[in-house]
Amino acid sequence: MKKYATLKDIAKALNISTATVSRALADRWDVSCETKKLVQEEAKRQNYRPNPMATRLQNKRTKTIGLVVPEFKSAFFPNVISGIQKVIDDAGYNLLITQSQESKEIEEKNLKLLESNMVEGILISITREGENDEYYQRLIDSGIPVVFFNRVSSKVDAPKVIIDDYRLAFFATEHLIYNGFKKIYHFEGPVNLSVSKERKRGFIDAMKKHHREVSEKIIHTAGVFSEKGYIAMQNLIAKNDLPDAIFCFNDPTALGALKAIKEAGLKCPDDVALVGFSETEIAQLVEPPLTSIEQPTFEIGVTAASLLMEQLNDCVVTPSRTVKLIAKMNIRKSSINIKK
Amino acid sequence: MKKYATLKDIAKALNISTATVSRALADRWDVSCETKKLVQEEAKRQNYRPNPMATRLQNKRTKTIGLVVPEFKSAFFPNVISGIQKVIDDAGYNLLITQSQESKEIEEKNLKLLESNMVEGILISITREGENDEYYQRLIDSGIPVVFFNRVSSKVDAPKVIIDDYRLAFFATEHLIYNGFKKIYHFEGPVNLSVSKERKRGFIDAMKKHHREVSEKIIHTAGVFSEKGYIAMQNLIAKNDLPDAIFCFNDPTALGALKAIKEAGLKCPDDVALVGFSETEIAQLVEPPLTSIEQPTFEIGVTAASLLMEQLNDCVVTPSRTVKLIAKMNIRKSSINIKK
DNA sequence: AAAATCGTCGTAAACGATTACATTAAAGCT
DNA sequence: AGCTTTAATGTAATCGTTTACGACGATTTT
C-alpha cells in the first residue's frame, strides 16, 4: 500500500510552512497567487489527497447519515431507499447503506460501523430476530438521532414512520367480504414481526365485525417467501380444505399460493380468490393480476429521512412522533367474485 | 448536539494522565486494577465513546470496504451483495453500500464518499450512463484496490468478474433454433451497456451460424424494464409482425412481453415462445414458467470480493485478470415448441 | 515623517487518541 | 545496606489538518 503525500511533504518540497500550504489549497485570500500556483502544482505532482480522518477530527462534520435495512431482495426496501436518497441528496448529505440480513448481531455490528464513520443520524428498519433496544437508546443518548421506519422498536422513544397495517388488513378483508366470499382464510406472516400481528389483527377484527366465525383453522402461517405460500396452499389442497378466498400476508406468499392453485388444476379467482399485500411489480404481470395493498414505499423513505433532517437541523429535541402513512388497495382480477 | 466525552475529561475527573486512561481502557497489563476500575466506571458515567476519527488517524486501518452498485430494485444486485457480504464478513471486514442510481455524477460522489471514509478497497458495478475512468484510475493509483463486476470499465486495468453473456446468449438462441422455431426475434437491452452488446452479438452469431437471416427488423430495443417489453410486444402485435419466438434481454422485458401476448388473446409458447435472461424469482411463478438464464449472482459476489481480499492481503500487485463465470439455462415451458 | 493599513507568511496550538520513553516508588536480591 | 527489578504512572511526541495570532516588510494615509 502506497503512502499518501501529506501537507508536510508539500511544505518541505516548497520550503514553506504547512499552514501556507493548507491555506493555498483552501484557496484563501491571504496567500499570494504565485504560491497558490506553486502549491497546487506540487500537490498535483505528489498526488496529494487530504486525509479525511484528520479533516474530520478538526471540523467534526461528516454530512453523512447511515441506513440499516434487513434486506433488499424484495422490492420494498429499495423503493424506500430511493425516497430516502432523494431527501438526503437534496439536503446535501451522503448516505451509507448497510444490510442486517435479519440478524440481530449483524444489525449491531452495522450500527457500530456507522457510528465509527461518524454518521450524524441513523435510519433503521429493525430485524425480525429481535430488538437491540439498549443500543438504539445509547445512540440517541450519545447525540445521534435515530428514526425508525416500517419495522420499529416498541420500546425506544424516537420518531417512527409506519403504515397502518391494521387498517389496511381490515379493508382488504372487508373487500373480500363485500365481494361475497364466504370462506375466507388468512396466510399469516412471521409471528414475531409486528406487521404480521397487525395484519392478522386487522383480518380478525374485520371478520368479527361481519359476524364471521374466526377459528385457528382459518389462519395458516405462511412466512414471507413464495415457497411458504406455495406449501401452505398445497397443504390446504391436500386436505381438501379449500377456502373461497385468502388474504395473504404479502405478495410473494400470494404468488406462491397462486402457483399451487394452478398446478392443482384449479382457477383463481373462480375457485380460490387471492389478495396480497405490499404491491410488487409482479402483481400486475401474473395471470390473473393480483389484488394487493400498495404501500407508499417512496413516501415512507421521504418521510423518515425528512424527520431525521428535522432533528438534525433543529437542535431542539422535538417530541418523538409516529407518522402513519396511508396506503391504497389495487383491486384486480384475483379477488373478483365471478359467481356473484 | 451533545458533546462527546474525551479521554481528557476522564483524566481530569480522576486527576490522572490521559495516557493512563487510554491504557486502562485498552486493558493493558501495566496499569493497576484499581485505576482500571476507576477509569472504567468514570468512562461509563460520562458515557465515553472513543472518537473513531482520532483512532483511525493513529492506526490507519478501517477494515472496511466500499461497494457501488447502480441500483438494487432488481433481484440481481441484492443477490450479488449477499455473496460479497459473506466473504467480507468471514474476513472480518465491514461493508459500506452505496447506490449510483445509474448516474455518473452520483457514482463519483459515492466513490468520494467511500474514499473519505477510508475504505481499504472498492467493489463496483458501473452505471450505464458512462465511465468515470479517470477516477477509477486515480483510486487505484492512490493505493485503493478496485474490483469491477458485472458492469466493468473497458479502459481501466483492474480485476473484473463477469459472466459470459455472449456465450449464454448464443446458447439461448441456439436452444430456440434447435427447438424448431423459425422466426426468432431479439429484444435488445440499453444500447450503451456492454452486456446488451454482448447478448446481441451472441444472438446474431448464433443466428448466422445456423444460416438464419439477420436483419435489423428482427431486433427491437426494449430496454430494461417490463413496461418496455410490454410496449415492444404490443407494437409487434399491432403491426401483425409476430415471431415464433423472442430472445429477450432480461426477465422483466420477457414478462412484459408475456403480458402483452396474453392480453392480445395469444398464447405462450403456442403463438410466441419466450426466453428471458438473468433468472428472477418470478420466472417460475408465471404461467407459463419462463425459460431463463440463471446467472450465478451469489458466486459473482463471492468471486469479486475474494479478488479484492487477495489484493488487500498480498501487498504484491497481482496482474489483473478477468474472471468469466458460467451460468446455466433453466428451460421451462415458455420456450417449448408444442407444434414440433 | 510617523502612523496606520495591507498583503503574505510562519508559529504554534488545537482536534482526540496512542505509545515510546522517562520517571518514581516499592519490592526483591546478594 | 546497596543494587537491581518490577509495577504504575506521567511526559511528550505523533498521526494530518486547520486556524487564531503574530511578525514582517511594503504601501498608503494624515
Side-chain angles (χ1 to χ4, degrees), chain A residues 16-17 19-20 23 30 32 35 58 60:
Chain A
I16 53 176
S17 77
T20 310
R23 280 184 288 238
D30 57 350
S32 74
T35 42
Q58 279 281 350
K60 296 168 160 193

Side-chain angles (χ1 to χ4, degrees), chain B residues 44 57 66 86 129 152 186 198 212 239 254 285 303 313:
Chain B
K44 188 157 287 179
L57 185 55
K86 180 172 170 30
E129 212 183 52
V152 306
H186 175 47
E198 287 297 287
R212 302 294 180 95
K239 287 192 291 185
L285 294 174
T303 312
N313 295 335

Side-chain angles (χ1 to χ4, degrees), chain B residues 21 28-29 31 70 114 116 138 144 159 168 194 214 230 272 274 295 339:
Chain B
V21 176
R28 287 283 239 288
W29 78 98
V31 46
L114 292 174
S116 75
R138 200 164 144 197
I144 302 181
L168 286 159
S194 62
V214 177
Y230 180 69
V272 183
L274 292 171
Q295 292 175 295
K339 302 167 203 156

Side-chain angles (χ1 to χ4, degrees), chain B residues 16-17 19-20 23 30 32 35 58 60:
Chain B
I16 54 178
S17 76
T20 310
R23 279 184 290 238
D30 58 349
S32 74
T35 43
Q58 277 283 347
K60 297 171 162 190

Side-chain angles (χ1 to χ4, degrees), chain A residues 69-205:
Chain A
V69 294
E71 45 89 22
F72 26 66
K73 292 201 177 178
S74 67
F76 181 81
F77 286 109
N79 283 325
V80 175
I81 294 176
S82 298
I84 292 173
Q85 206 131 24
K86 179 169 172 28
V87 176
I88 299 291
D89 286 350
D90 288 353
Y93 276 73
N94 294 112
L95 183 63
L96 250 25
I97 305 168
T98 63
Q99 187 187 13
S100 60
Q101 297 172 110
E102 301 286 9
S103 146
K104 197 179 160 183
E105 276 173 46
I106 300 181
E107 180 181 287
E108 186 166 341
K109 194 181 146 200
N110 284 333
L111 286 171
K112 282 183 181 154
L113 173 62
L114 291 174
E115 203 186 354
S116 76
N117 280 308
M118 291 196 71
V119 295
E120 297 178 16
I122 287 180
L123 293 164
I124 182 171
S125 187
I126 70 179
T127 74
R128 69 158 171 270
E129 215 184 46
E131 310 188 356
N132 285 310
D133 290 313
E134 344 70 49
Y135 206 90
Y136 310 144
Q137 192 58 57
R138 204 166 140 193
L139 283 169
I140 296 171
D141 290 343
S142 74
I144 303 179
V146 174
V147 173
F148 295 93
F149 64 95
N150 184 244
R151 310 231 205 119
V152 305
S153 165
S154 53
K155 287 173 191 158
V156 177
D157 179 42
K160 293 164 190 172
V161 179
I162 53 177
I163 68 149
D164 201 339
D165 285 281
Y166 170 79
R167 212 150 64 105
L168 286 158
F170 194 99
F171 284 164
T173 310
E174 275 198 321
H175 160 72
L176 290 174
I177 293 171
Y178 289 144
N179 255 270
F181 292 108
K182 293 279 160 52
K183 202 173 165 186
I184 305 174
Y185 280 17
H186 175 46
F187 277 3
E188 190 185 359
V191 282
N192 44 353
L193 222 55
S194 62
V195 288
S196 297
K197 290 177 198 152
E198 287 298 288
R199 289 177 199 173
K200 181 180 174 181
R201 201 163 62 85
F203 169 76
I204 291 175
D205 284 4

Side-chain angles (χ1 to χ4, degrees), chain A residues 247-271:
Chain A
F247 166 51
C248 298
F249 171 68
N250 64 6
D251 277 12
T253 51
L255 293 169
L258 179 60
K259 192 183 177 197
I261 290 168
K262 286 180 180 172
E263 282 184 8
L266 299 169
K267 286 205 150 192
C268 172
D270 313 43
D271 298 307

